[in-house]
């Protein structure tokens, strides 16, 4: 192990235990060197899939993972996945081949410029600093919660670099301490909550990353607050009995009406995007809205008070102040009957067009899916069904890869990352037919990596449903929005999975027998659900209403 690539592999393996990717000329030497380290390598079938798998692995485990691709076309294939990781604030290191230091060849492109356009910083290794530069790239990814590119120029990949430094001699990865909130601002928030008659706590993914769950639970008890989460923080509050679930379009209408009754709302680690905020309608005009976040300033015009700081430190500090002051709970949540607020529309067995009603399919799947599961979601109209109907135990068990960049086609490779992160859990993919076809190269990867722990639910409405439900209703030509009905069950069998065409609810019974089989004896299962595209998810109705103004 004396080459530049060996130095990179050695330093990488000191900080990550899993690398995903596709082999090519630019990273062949790296993969050869990685084979002699402790890091495990999983091959994907598309370069975007390597980045997506590393992204999903972090979301499910909290541990940094890496991806690798070759130069040129291999690198450009990763750009959508890099943009998603960066916008979702997921640390990922992509180790990519690059043009030689002697100058670009006809097939080389300015990869650093392309990465920068997606908000991604590039670190380029040299002959003398390969290990140190690798550590700096890792540190940047973790400190800034972002994707980075670690570039290996082609002529340096196999260049002699001497023996790599001992692991203990590598530069340390130094991360900033959690941002402590201003004490005076915490005093003010504690005073607001102590005087609130109807306090409400909302937590986002930032609160989960900060490890704030227990402190948020303590704060909810001290204040008697009703709680809820964003879609990326489902399950963060320890007490589910007084929790409304997800805010925004994935929430129940009656539950969202209750949120508007809050007089004080404190938001921890949530960016308050348009979907969480129901396009500005989540809080009533008179609600005092406090946002606690790592951002430099408030991220929504609804915010009346802003506290910069770590969600866990803030929740703990506010709770300590309330305890010291002898504050008593408001009693609001004890006055609320939560059962009607959780009631879901069961739908019908079949929609008017004769195809399955996705609400009924989602409800039946919730009864049949293994309890120990991680749900990975592609993007598309169908995201409402899993998010509304399938409970998850904690935020690291619902992975929505693609929503930050509003992309589709990243679902199937997410399975590989989730399977590596949670080796005992069932991995359940929810995807549409459009996104499923876009990611088809990594159907094989999903089957190979998840095996008998894997289930793919394909919401097959023979269309790009979100477009039909928005632009179709506006009178746009529907032909470009339609997809010839694809036999995903047949595609599944071609790569060693079992496919089931689901045309009636009874066809889902195969999932019940599958769950009862020994894991090592059952196949990866693909449920090709032939649903109606005419049943519109509630969140999509919000989008339609906004775009119709």
């Amino acid at each position: 192990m004396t080459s530049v690539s060996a130095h990179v592999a050695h330093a990488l393996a000191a900080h990550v235990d899993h690398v995903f990717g596709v082999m090519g000329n630019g990273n062949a030497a790296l993969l050869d060197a990685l084979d002699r380290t402790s890091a495990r390598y999983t091959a994907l079938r598309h370069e975007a899939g390597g980045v997506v798998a590393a992204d999903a692995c972090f979301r499910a485990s909290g541990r940094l993972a890496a991806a690798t691709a070759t130069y040129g076309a291999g690198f450009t294939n990763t750009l959508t996945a890099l943009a998603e990781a960066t916008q979702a604030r997921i640390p990922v290191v992509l180790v990519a081949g690059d043009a030689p230091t002697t100058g670009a060849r006809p097939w080389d492109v300015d990869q650093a410029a392309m990465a920068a356009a997606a908000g991604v910083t590039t670190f380029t290794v040299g002959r003398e600093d390969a290990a140190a530069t690798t550590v700096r790239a890792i540190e940047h990814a973790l400190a800034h919660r972002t994707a980075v590119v670690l570039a290996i120029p082609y002529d340096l990949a196999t260049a002699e670099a001497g023996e790599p430094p001992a692991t203990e001699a590598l530069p340390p990865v130094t991360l900033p301490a959690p941002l402590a909130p201003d004490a005076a601002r915490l005093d003010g928030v504690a005073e607001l909550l102590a005087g609130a008659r109807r306090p409400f706590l909302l937590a986002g993914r930032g609160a989960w990353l900060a490890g704030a769950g227990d402190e948020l639970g303590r704060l909810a008890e001290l204040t008697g607050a009703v709680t809820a989460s964003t879609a990326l923080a489902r399950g963060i509050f320890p007490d589910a009995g007084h929790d409304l679930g997800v805010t925004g379009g994935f929430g129940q209408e009656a539950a969202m009406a209750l949120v508007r009754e809050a007089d004080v709302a404190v938001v921890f680690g949530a960016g308050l995007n348009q979907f969480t905020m129901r396009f500005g309608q989540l809080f009533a005009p008179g609600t005092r809205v406090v946002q606690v976040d790592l951002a430099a300033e408030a991220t929504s015009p609804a915010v009346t008070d802003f506290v910069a700081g770590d969600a866990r430190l803030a929740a703990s500090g506010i709770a300590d102040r309330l305890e010291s002051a002898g504050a008593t709970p408001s009693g609001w949540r004890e006055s609320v009957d939560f059962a009607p607020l959780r009631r879901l529309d069961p739908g019908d067995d079949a929609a008017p067009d004769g195809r399955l009603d996705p609400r009924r399919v989602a409800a039946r799947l919730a009864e049949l899916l293994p309890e120990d599961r991680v749900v990975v979601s592609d993007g598309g109209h169908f995201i409402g069904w899993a998010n509304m109907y399938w409970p998850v135990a904690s935020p690291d068990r619902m992975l929505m890869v693609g929503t930050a960049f509003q992309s589709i086609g990243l679902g199937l490779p997410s399975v590989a990352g989730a399977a590596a992160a949670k080796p005992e859990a069932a991995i359940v993919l929810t995807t549409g037919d459009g996104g499923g076809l876009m990611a088809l190269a990594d159907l094989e990867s999903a089957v190979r990596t998840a095996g008998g722990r894997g289930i793919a639910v394909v919401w097959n409405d023979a269309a790009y449903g979100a477009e039909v439900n928005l632009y179709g209703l506006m009178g746009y030509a529907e032909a470009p929005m339609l997809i010839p009905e694809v036999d995903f069950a047949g595609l599944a069998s071609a790569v060693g999975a079992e496919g089931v065409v689901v045309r009636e609810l009874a066809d889902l019974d195969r999932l019940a027998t599958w769950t009862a089989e020994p894991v090592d004896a059952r196949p990866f299962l693909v449920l090709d659900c032939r649903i109606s595209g005419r049943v519109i998810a509630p969140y999509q109705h919000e989008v339609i209403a906004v775009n119709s103004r």
Side-chain angles (χ1 to χ4, degrees), residues 22 131 316 358 437:
V22 179
S316 177
L437 287 170

Side-chain angles (χ1 to χ4, degrees), residues 306-404:
F306 181 73
V307 179
D310 176 83
R312 184 186 64 80
L313 294 179
S316 177
I318 296 166
D320 288 346
R321 285 163 169 79
L322 290 170
E323 283 184 340
S324 297
T328 57
S330 65
W332 185 36
R333 65 182 186 177
E334 284 74 23
S335 70
V336 174
D337 182 3
F338 283 84
L341 306 182
R342 300 192 182 103
R343 196 166 293 139
L344 295 162
D345 187 340
D348 303 300
D349 284 3
D353 61 4
R355 294 173 73 93
L356 283 167
D357 186 323
R359 296 167 297 185
R360 186 62 61 86
V361 173
R364 179 60 177 151
L365 285 169
E367 298 170 349
L368 296 174
L369 288 170
E371 186 174 347
D372 182 10
R373 63 177 179 264
V374 177
V375 178
V376 296
S377 178
D378 203 338
H381 171 250
F382 63 88
I383 62 175
W385 309 130
N387 272 285
M388 294 184 72
Y389 288 81
W390 300 353
V392 293
S394 56
D396 57 345
R397 288 174 173 264
M398 170 56 85
L399 317 182
M400 298 173 65
V401 184
T403 54

Side-chain angles (χ1 to χ4, degrees), residues 140-188:
H140 185 89
L142 290 170
H144 296 278
R145 294 182 185 173
T146 188
V148 300
V149 174
L150 182 65
I152 305 177
Y154 184 66
D155 57 327
L156 297 186
T158 57
E160 179 68 32
E163 286 297 321
T167 301
E168 58 272 16
L170 289 169
V173 170
T174 304
L175 302 180
L179 178 62
D182 178 75
R185 291 186 179 273
L186 294 188
D187 291 341

Side-chain angles (χ1 to χ4, degrees), residues 21-22 43-51 73-74 76-78 413 438-439 441-442 445:
V22 179
L44 277 290
R45 301 305 174 204
H46 192 284
E47 286 88 357
V51 177
T76 58
N77 274 345
T78 69
M438 193 178 290
D442 280 311
S445 303

